[in-house]
Amino acid sequence: MSKTLDGVIRTWNGGAERLFGYSANECIGKPITLLFPEERLSEEDDILGRLRSGQRIDHFETVRRRKDGKDVHVSVTVSPVRNEAGVIVGASKIARNIGDQKEAGVQQSLLLREMNHRIKNLFSLTAALVALSARGTTGGEALAADLAARLRALARAHELTMPDLSAGDSAENSTTLRALLEAILAPHDDSTGSRITIGGCDAPLSGSALTSVALLLHELATNAAKHGALALADGRLSVELAMQDDRLTMTWAETNARSPKRKERREGFGSTLERAALTGIGATLTRSWRSDGLTIDFAVPLQRLVSVIS
């Protein structure tokens, strides 16, 4: 369709007739606001003002009203029309029906909400089954506690990558290494938030790498809480992230902590899990014990943090 700078319809084609239900005879010579719901009338003043200044309006999503009174979601493109002297005398307008697209987005959002709810329930159910099984066995309490803690770490990682459905965002989100660190370490900090500091750069984190990194960081945090700096009232943990060429490095420094006894360094399931996580993302990790604590150096190729490992 086209209109004057006063908003009066000049031309109206078959596509406009099918979309809005009005014939050309019913529209030509009428104001374009014939199609506007009352609450959107102010949009026309803004559109005309931008047209007079020579601006083109691309893919403006809005709502217009059909002849039968039903609203339709449209994407509108408006371009200024000039006469032979180059003076803007009107506008050419294209409206596309995006109602099906909008409806599909709503359905997708509903499905994502349901999926998110079910995944959270699965984490809770699995943790409950672990606890229930432990009560029926001898000496299973410690194993149950460890498994439940790992499940909670994975649940926190899952929440970080879910889209903000309350804001209408239905696209899958990635998170960052720093956000994951903060989520996993938060339960171990004190009320003032001064025991743990995280500094340096950041890097995106998504795909299968998220699971491996979440389990690895959980193991480091658990060890610090059981045997390291976070097991003592005056213990401190500093985590520093940095970029070195195509790798991200993390320096995990525990201070004011006792040096672990040799038996606390022995191999266990946590060590096996740690090796598996490191292998999954092509990372390296080394420990250096000091008299007042521990330093851990971790390095991983940046591309492995955002790639899905099959």
Side-chain angles (χ1 to χ4, degrees):
M1 68 194 80
S2 65
K3 64 181 180 180
T4 68
L5 284 182
D6 294 325
V8 176
I9 299 171
R10 296 295 301 273
T11 63
W12 186 266
N13 69 7
E17 183 172 335
R18 289 189 296 273
L19 178 56
F20 297 112
Y22 291 99
S23 67
N25 289 336
E26 292 176 295
C27 287
I28 293 176
K30 301 286 182 63
I32 194 72
T33 50
L34 172 73
L35 307 174
F36 284 48
E38 186 175 346
E39 67 274 12
R40 293 185 178 265
L41 289 173
S42 61
E43 291 179 359
E44 180 64 1
D45 290 336
D46 179 61
I47 291 172
L48 291 175
R50 294 169 65 180
L51 283 171
R52 291 188 182 99
S53 65
Q55 295 183 47
R56 172 186 167 92
I57 300 168
D58 283 319
H59 303 299
F60 170 57
E61 292 190 9
T62 186
V63 175
R64 294 294 178 255
R65 185 153 292 163
R66 291 170 42 86
K67 181 180 179 180
D68 59 12
K70 294 180 180 179
D71 288 343
V72 57
H73 288 273
V74 293
S75 173
V76 179
T77 298
V78 190
S79 303
V81 174
R82 302 174 187 271
N83 62 16
E84 294 179 354
V87 177
I88 298 171
V89 294
S92 172
K93 197 168 187 177
I94 299 173
R96 298 175 179 85
N97 187 346
I98 59 172
D100 290 343
Q101 177 183 332
K102 286 288 185 181
E103 184 175 349
V106 170
Q107 291 299 318
Q108 183 184 40
S109 180
L110 289 173
L111 288 172
L112 281 171
R113 288 177 189 272
E114 179 64 18
M115 182 184 72
N116 190 27
H117 177 68
R118 290 183 182 230
I119 289 175
K120 287 182 177 180
N121 282 346
L122 282 174
F123 278 122
S124 300
L125 177 60
T126 306
L129 288 173
V130 169
L132 184 62
S133 299
R135 288 199 292 270
T137 60
T138 302
E141 293 83 1
L143 173 62
D146 283 347
L147 285 175
R150 290 185 178 105
L151 285 169
R152 286 193 294 271
L154 289 177
R156 288 193 293 271
H158 163 74
E159 288 184 356
L160 285 174
T161 56
M162 282 303 296
D164 182 7
L165 298 175
S166 63
D169 181 7
S170 59
E172 181 183 357
N173 288 343
S174 63
T175 186
T176 67
L177 181 57
R178 185 162 183 157
L180 183 61
L181 269 167
E182 291 171 349
I184 288 178
L185 291 175
H188 302 287
D189 209 350
D190 58 21
S191 59
T192 64
S194 59
R195 295 189 71 194
I196 301 172
T197 59
I198 302 173
C201 64
D202 203 356
L205 182 62
S206 63
S208 299
L210 177 66
T211 301
S212 296
V213 176
L215 289 173
L216 178 64
L217 293 178
H218 169 72
E219 292 303 314
L220 299 183
T222 299
N223 289 337
K226 286 183 177 179
H227 313 297
L230 301 182
L232 302 175
D234 60 346
R236 297 289 182 270
L237 169 63
S238 170
V239 182
E240 191 71 18
L241 303 173
M243 298 286 187
Q244 291 185 0
D245 298 325
D246 59 348
R247 299 173 72 80
L248 183 135
T249 64
M250 178 183 74
T251 302
W252 175 290
E254 300 179 32
T255 55
N256 295 340
R258 59 184 174 82
S259 181
K261 299 176 182 178
R262 188 167 298 276
K263 66 178 182 179
E264 293 170 351
R265 303 182 192 179
R266 67 175 181 265
E267 294 285 302
F269 177 70
S271 299
T272 302
L273 186 63
E274 179 183 298
R275 284 197 297 272
L278 291 170
T279 301
I281 54 176
T284 59
L285 185 148
T286 58
R287 287 177 170 83
S288 302
W289 278 277
R290 310 182 315 274
S291 60
D292 68 335
L294 167 69
T295 298
I296 298 173
D297 292 305
F298 167 83
V300 60
L302 280 170
Q303 63 179 8
R304 299 297 290 272
L305 291 178
V306 293
S307 60
V308 178
I309 311 299
S310 59

